[in-house]
């Protein structure tokens, strides 16, 4: 027995000038091997593709982020309740696991990079700090005794 399932989730948010949208596509392929007197063997292969697009309100900046992740899982389960229940539980578990991985690793890392690039101090503060540092370094160098 073999089956496939596509789960698609989309969202769209329009603001005054900017917009945010994204999509989550999960492709699940399930193979089931029935065995007499023993639990059935389930093999699930899931591929998730995500896309996020965001535009700033003034339209000057746009960010596109996307990627895919594939995971595979095999499990032996009794088929007393039917294959549909087992398949549904396996797919739900796999998608939740992948969502947590994407949220923690990919989006977390992207957030770290963006926060590292984005400046939280104003340019004038940076320039004044640079001037003070230059003056202190110049003063320290001029006070230094030459090596004999």
């Amino acid at each position: 027995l073999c089956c496939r399932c596509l789960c698609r989730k989309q969202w769209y948010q329009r603001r005054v000038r900017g917009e945010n949208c994204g999509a989550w596509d999960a492709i699940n392929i399930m193979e089931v091997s029935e065995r007499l007197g023993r639990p059935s063997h389930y093999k699930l292969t899931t591929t998730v593709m995500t896309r996020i697009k965001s535009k700033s309100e003034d339209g000057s900046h746009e960010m596109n982020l996307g990627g895919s992740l594939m995971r595979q899982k095999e499990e032996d389960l009794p088929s007393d309740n039917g294959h549909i229940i087992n398949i549904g539980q396996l797919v739900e578990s796999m998608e939740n696991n992948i969502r947590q991985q994407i949220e923690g690793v990919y989006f977390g890392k992207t957030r770290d990079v963006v926060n590292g690039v984005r400046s939280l101090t104003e340019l004038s503060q940076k320039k004044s700090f640079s001037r003070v540092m230059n003056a202190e370094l110049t003063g320290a160098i001029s006070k230094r005794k030459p090596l004999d």
Side-chain angles (χ1 to χ4, degrees):
L1 172 69
C2 185
C3 68
R4 65 183 179 271
C5 172
L6 170 67
C7 300
R8 178 173 212 142
K9 299 170 185 116
Q10 290 183 302
W11 62 272
Y12 182 79
Q13 177 189 20
R14 189 157 187 71
R15 298 178 300 206
V16 175
R17 291 189 181 140
E19 62 184 41
N20 293 324
C21 59
W24 166 285
D25 296 328
I27 302 167
N28 300 285
I29 299 173
M30 178 68 72
E31 298 174 41
V32 181
S33 302
E34 292 183 335
R35 302 178 289 191
L36 293 174
R38 294 180 21 207
S40 298
H41 182 75
Y42 294 84
K43 180 179 178 183
L44 173 64
T45 304
T46 301
T47 302
V48 172
M49 295 172 282
T50 59
R51 291 175 306 286
I52 296 175
K53 180 180 178 183
S54 179
K55 283 186 181 179
S56 63
E57 290 185 16
D58 63 359
S60 63
H61 297 72
E62 183 175 321
M63 178 188 75
N64 290 307
L65 179 64
S68 66
L69 184 63
M70 185 183 87
R71 293 289 182 257
Q72 197 169 51
K73 179 179 185 178
E74 294 188 41
E75 199 167 324
D76 292 331
L77 297 170
S79 56
D80 301 337
N81 296 334
H83 293 301
I84 299 296
I85 292 173
N86 289 341
I87 290 171
Q89 289 174 345
L90 286 170
V91 167
E92 184 178 18
S93 170
M94 179 69 87
E95 284 195 29
N96 283 335
N97 187 353
I98 289 175
R99 181 187 57 79
Q100 289 172 351
Q101 288 178 348
I102 288 174
E103 192 175 287
V105 175
Y106 297 103
F107 293 142
K109 187 63 177 171
T110 301
R111 187 179 315 113
D112 290 346
V113 169
V114 169
N115 288 339
V117 171
R118 186 175 55 190
S119 174
L120 299 177
T121 59
E122 292 183 23
L123 186 58
S124 61
Q125 289 176 337
K126 287 183 180 180
K127 286 182 180 178
S128 65
F129 178 75
S130 178
R131 276 189 235 120
V132 170
M133 285 298 291
N134 284 339
E136 286 181 15
L137 284 173
T138 303
I141 290 172
S142 64
K143 290 178 185 176
R144 192 175 123 209
K145 295 180 182 178
L147 295 174
D148 294 330

